[in-house]
Amino acid sequence: MSPSKTHRLAPAPLAPPLEATAVIPAESAPRLAAEVQVMDTLRVGLDDGYAFTKLVLPNNQLVAIPSRARIGQAGVTWIEANKQRVFEYSTEGSIYSVGKVDGDSTRFTGYPVSGLHRCIVQHALQQASLGGRSVHVVSGLPVSAFYFSDGQQRSGAIAQKRDTLKIAVEPRSSGGMYDRGRPPVSVAFHEVIPEALAAWYDQVIDVKDGEASLNTARVETPVAVVDIGGRTTDYVVVENQGILHRSSGSLSKGMLDVHSQVSRAIQKQFNLESVSEQRVAHAVNRQTVRLHGHEHDISDIVKEAKLELVTQLHAETRRQLGLGEELDTIIFVGGGSAALASDIADWFPNQQIAEQPAFANARGMLKYLQYVCEEPVSCHAH
Amino acid sequence: MKLVPGYEYQLDLSLDLRVSLEAVLIQRLRQQPKTRHQEWLRRLLVLGFREECKSLQQTVGQTIRPASDTGFANWLTQEPKASSANEVVTEKPKQSAVAVGLVNQKPLAALQKVLGEQVA
């Protein structure tokens, strides 16, 4: 091979210098360059909700998957890798199936520190094509899980959440003949912040051409964030860069309550013993349910379930925020804000629904990681 | 560490996934073919020790410092000096930094106080 057909690559961080001086054949350069790039640590905003797990990456890539998994093997061999819909992961000796499965409920208190959660997060990272990468992550806890009622941080619960994502999760082979294996995504750094406060960071940090600046007008005025999620609805009021804890907290109500009520109503109306969680989610979205080969209109059931949730949310919002006359802006975020947009449209004259509200928390978490958070820099962090 | 017959020492080492650098190291190891693991780790260890030796050489003739104050011992915990932080900013892209240790040179680090004080 002639010397003109060779490239010298920059050393990968932490790689032994011998590799830096090795002469690399030209045809191998792209693959090796990709490997060097893989060595870079990537920053990820992770909104690990009970209904959906959302990621925001620095290149503005958005990823959302249902927080749906169950303990145990999938019991399916996928012949073609690109048709695979259920993925297996193992962590701490247990196997979980993630993807298009009838999932175990995520609505239990320990979910954010469970193996179920860890495998769903790993799957979301895999779906973002981050296999083999090391990532730095900021995720969240509901306000009431992050703070005691007096405003002190629940340091034990926060540390537990922080540590759980660092426990290894291994993707398992699908067993198909074309399966090439999936390297795991490892979480090298994980910080936790209150979920609704993440959306506040999203609001006050403006990013243009990679440069961050503070939105001083918004920072100086009292702002409330209402985060309507799957299991909880979070309230946080920030004034003069401090949280008003008397007006902040969480209500254990969210969009999954709509799913529960619709499920009960379908069982009752059609005399069914059970309805799968996937079928209910589909029914809520489409307002129809397919049974015995026929589509049935259930729009009244969905409307009634939403109305019940909206009534509860409205009462709690009034209790937390009053009429909002002392607030400059009330910002609605979370997947529930998008799903209930027409129902919550006229609660306050000074309200707004955030841009892509389902991703507002994850965006804020990424901004917090990029521009605010103390972070170990172990190699190139993007 | 245990002695095995012949000229080799066998090291039994555990790495902690909660430590960023160690997690990255494991990730990097996984990317190597399994047949190269031993060789890669041995080289990493030797090169790390060589750096340690350089630090020790630099301390010869100077005031004796505690053993933990060598370059290698500091690699996980050192705070970046102001001058080195500036060098990073001028030499690397804005959102990229090459350094080791805990840093908070973030442009909006002051906003961290909104979270409130962490109680031990």
Side-chain angles (χ1 to χ4, degrees), chain A residues 281-298:
Chain A
H282 188 263
V284 171
N285 289 337
R286 300 280 299 275
Q287 313 226 342
T288 61
V289 61
R290 190 171 181 83
L291 296 168
H292 306 299
H294 296 285
E295 294 282 345
H296 300 272
D297 179 42
I298 57 158

Side-chain angles (χ1 to χ4, degrees), chain A residues 14-19 38-39 132-134 147 152-153 155 162 166 168 170 184 186 188 194 197 201 205 210-211 214 241 243 368-381, chain B residues 17-21 23-24 27-28 30-32 36 40 43-44 47 75 92 94-104 106-120:
Chain A
L14 292 183
L18 281 177
E19 291 191 1
V38 161
M39 274 303 296
R133 304 285 298 260
S134 289
Y147 293 110
Q152 283 193 354
Q153 292 185 17
S155 48
R162 200 182 285 138
K166 294 179 185 173
E170 292 285 341
S186 70
L197 192 64
Y201 281 114
I205 299 173
E211 293 280 346
L214 201 58
Q241 298 188 37
I243 296 175
Y368 179 82
L369 181 55
Q370 288 176 309
Y371 305 114
V372 181
C373 169
E374 187 174 6
E375 177 189 18
V377 182
S378 53
C379 52
H380 293 268
Chain B
L17 285 170
R18 293 168 300 180
V19 180
S20 303
L21 270 177
V24 173
Q27 192 75 344
R28 178 60 170 159
R30 279 174 172 155
Q31 290 162 8
Q32 307 296 325
R36 285 194 58 210
W40 189 84
R43 194 168 52 178
L44 194 66
L47 288 168
W75 79 317
K92 300 291 173 187
K94 283 206 168 59
Q95 288 182 43
S96 181
V98 180
V100 174
L102 278 172
V103 294
N104 198 357
K106 303 278 176 74
L108 303 174
L111 285 182
Q112 206 165 7
K113 71 180 182 186
V114 179
L115 285 173
E117 292 296 319
Q118 193 159 350
V119 180

Side-chain angles (χ1 to χ4, degrees), chain A residues 130-266:
Chain A
L130 299 180
R133 304 285 298 260
S134 289
V135 293
H136 286 191
V137 170
V138 168
S139 73
L141 276 171
V143 172
S144 61
F146 192 92
Y147 293 110
F148 291 107
S149 54
D150 63 0
Q152 283 193 354
Q153 292 185 17
R154 296 178 185 267
S155 48
I158 295 166
Q160 200 181 1
K161 171 89 194 271
R162 200 182 285 138
D163 289 342
T164 188
L165 275 193
K166 294 179 185 173
I167 297 172
V169 178
E170 292 285 341
R172 286 165 53 88
S173 165
S174 69
M177 77 172 74
Y178 300 117
D179 181 39
R180 289 173 294 178
R182 295 172 296 145
V185 184
S186 70
V187 178
F189 171 76
H190 179 209
E191 188 53 276
V192 181
I193 62 175
E195 283 164 0
L197 192 64
W200 179 81
Y201 281 114
D202 179 45
Q203 291 290 321
V204 301
I205 299 173
D206 292 332
V207 180
K208 193 176 179 185
D209 299 329
E211 293 280 346
S213 62
L214 201 58
N215 184 331
T216 48
R218 186 144 277 175
V219 165
E220 289 165 5
T221 54
V223 172
V225 176
V226 182
D227 174 16
I228 306 175
R231 186 183 184 225
T232 58
T233 295
D234 261 15
Y235 300 86
V236 72
V237 177
V238 184
E239 185 174 15
N240 296 324
Q241 298 188 37
I243 296 175
L244 296 185
H245 287 281
R246 69 174 183 277
S247 300
S248 303
S250 307
L251 174 70
S252 294
K253 292 286 174 189
M255 286 305 294
L256 290 177
D257 289 281
V258 173
H259 288 215
S260 297
Q261 191 172 330
V262 168
S263 175
R264 285 193 298 270
I266 291 174

